[in-house]
Amino acid sequence: QVQMVESGGGSVQAGGSLRLSCDASGFTYSTYCIAWFRQATGKEREGVAGAASDGSTSYADSVKGRFTISKDNAKKTVYLQMNSLKPEDTAMYYCTARPLWITGGYSPCGVQSPRGFGYWGQGTQVNVSS
């Protein structure tokens, strides 16, 4: 049974930092793209960062230079270190996963769209006040 459990959300002031964690289980971790998406109230879900087993990472332009995604393969845990937080980062953050190898071949671990990500956690709320 696939499980993805997020933790680490909370409330911080602008400029502060948080580290989110995602514990994943129930699938072949090394062959999946693990990513973070977020959804603010009244807005569509958007990709934040993704990481593949080969070490490649991808980031949304809005978080480049501030957020860092990393993986502990032994623990099957993915982290999202968020620095220099802004009020516009306020959202529910979701951990998600999809296979890297699909019918058409290898699909890089991008986060332009939530399409294809079949496993989702319940989310952890991040609130950034000004």
Side-chain angles (χ1 to χ4, degrees):
Q1 182 179 358
V2 174
Q3 282 192 318
M4 305 195 71
V5 181
E6 304 95 335
S7 61
S11 297
V12 296
Q13 290 189 328
S17 298
L18 283 174
R19 189 177 81 156
L20 306 184
S21 299
C22 171
D23 294 316
S25 62
F27 58 92
T28 307
Y29 187 79
S30 62
T31 63
Y32 274 67
C33 165
I34 312 293
W36 289 94
F37 279 72
R38 67 186 181 186
Q39 188 165 20
T41 303
K43 295 187 177 181
E44 293 187 352
R45 192 167 295 191
E46 63 173 357
V48 176
S53 56
D54 63 359
S56 62
T57 57
S58 62
Y59 295 92
D61 288 343
S62 60
V63 306
K64 283 181 181 176
R66 300 188 298 123
F67 291 10
T68 303
I69 188 170
S70 60
K71 298 171 67 181
D72 184 329
N73 291 327
K75 295 182 178 179
K76 294 188 176 181
T77 300
V78 178
Y79 303 100
L80 185 68
Q81 178 66 44
M82 306 186 296
N83 299 328
S84 302
L85 282 161
K86 303 176 181 180
E88 51 263 45
D89 294 318
T90 294
M92 184 71 81
Y93 283 71
Y94 297 92
C95 183
T96 182
R98 66 160 175 81
L100 287 167
W101 291 91
I102 59 176
T103 302
Y106 182 83
S107 178
C109 189
V111 292
Q112 296 89 342
S113 169
R115 188 166 58 181
F117 287 91
Y119 303 134
W120 292 85
Q122 294 299 307
T124 185
Q125 181 68 38
V126 172
N127 295 313
V128 185
S129 59
S130 58

